[in-house]
């Protein structure tokens, strides 16, 4: 059994968005869409589920806040208390206003760096990974929609030509 897919290539993001809506309405399964830039509303048109990345960012930020608060408490209160600007060094809550900028920066540092790592892991973008782009024009000015063929090759080709595709190819994917 061959794994054939149709590559419908578009040269305008609005035409692509309209074609995605028509493809979903016709109950064809979209394997992937390759675009040179993010297309607003494409995820909704494809029916993709919402992302939970904001929850990860919040948890990473809370982790950074806790680590930096613990670090400041240990260093500035327990390990090496100092009288800086007349502030007492007896308790963490007494020095908290002076620690807020450092804790804020720690929160942002942890959230930003761990979000980048999470994004790369989730996207499977490892160092030295080969590109999976089927057509080099999609990195410049074209958009490609990949739809699986299930015995309806001629129907799909004519369907995508009617949606405004500038080029429609049937590819045997290995």
């Amino acid at each position: 059994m061959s794994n054939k897919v149709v590559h419908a290539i578009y040269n305008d993001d609005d035409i692509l968005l309209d074609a995605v809506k028509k493809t979903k309405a016709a109950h064809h399964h979209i394997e992937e869409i390759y675009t040179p830039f993010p297309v607003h509303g494409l995820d909704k048109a494809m029916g993709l589920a919402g992302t939970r990345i904001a929850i990860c960012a919040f948890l990473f930020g809370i982790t950074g806040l806790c680590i930096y608060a613990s670090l400041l408490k240990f260093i500035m209160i327990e390990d090496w208390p100092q009288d800086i600007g007349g502030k007492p060094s007896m308790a963490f809550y007494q020095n908290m206003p002076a620690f807020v900028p450092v804790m804020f920066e720690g929160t942002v540092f942890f959230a930003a760096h761990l979000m980048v790592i999470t994004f790369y892991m989730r996207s499977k973008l490892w160092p030295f990974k080969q590109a999976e782009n089927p057509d080099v024009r999609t990195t410049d000015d074209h958009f490609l929609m990949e739809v699986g063929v299930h015995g309806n090759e001629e129907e799909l080709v004519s369907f995508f030509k009617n949606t405004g595709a500038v080029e429609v190819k049937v590819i045997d994917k290995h």
Side-chain angles (χ1 to χ4, degrees), residues 151-163:
N152 54 352
E153 186 176 322
E154 294 83 17
E155 174 196 338
L156 282 175
V157 170
S158 65
F159 174 79
F160 286 117
K161 284 184 180 176
N162 291 334
T163 62

Side-chain angles (χ1 to χ4, degrees), residues 45-58:
M46 288 179 65
L48 297 177
T51 179
R52 296 181 301 268
I53 202 125
I55 296 169
C56 288
F58 177 75

Side-chain angles (χ1 to χ4, degrees), residues 19-52:
V20 168
K21 291 175 185 174
K22 289 177 183 175
T23 305
K24 292 302 278 185
H27 303 292
H28 297 297
H29 177 67
I30 299 172
E31 301 283 336
E32 189 65 69
I33 295 180
Y34 299 91
T35 64
F37 54 83
V39 177
H40 181 70
L42 186 60
D43 54 342
K44 299 273 192 266
M46 288 179 65
L48 297 177
T51 179
R52 296 181 301 268

Side-chain angles (χ1 to χ4, degrees), residues 80-157:
W80 196 288
Q82 298 178 31
D83 184 9
I84 301 173
K87 294 186 188 329
S89 298
M90 279 49 119
F92 182 74
Y93 72 89
Q94 291 173 326
N95 291 319
M96 175 95 129
F99 296 159
V100 166
V102 177
M103 290 188 299
F104 172 76
E105 291 300 326
T107 301
V108 172
F109 177 84
F110 263 70
H113 285 81
L114 292 176
M115 285 302 297
V116 168
I117 292 168
T118 301
F119 172 75
Y120 283 139
M121 288 174 60
R122 181 73 176 103
S123 301
K124 297 180 180 138
L125 291 173
W126 313 113
F128 311 110
K129 182 178 187 231
Q130 294 295 319
E132 296 176 4
N133 197 359
D135 193 326
V136 295
R137 293 177 292 176
T138 60
T139 62
D140 187 23
D141 61 349
H142 283 73
F143 306 86
L144 186 141
M145 184 182 348
E146 186 177 274
V147 178
V149 175
H150 304 290
N152 54 352
E153 186 176 322
E154 294 83 17
E155 174 196 338
L156 282 175
V157 170

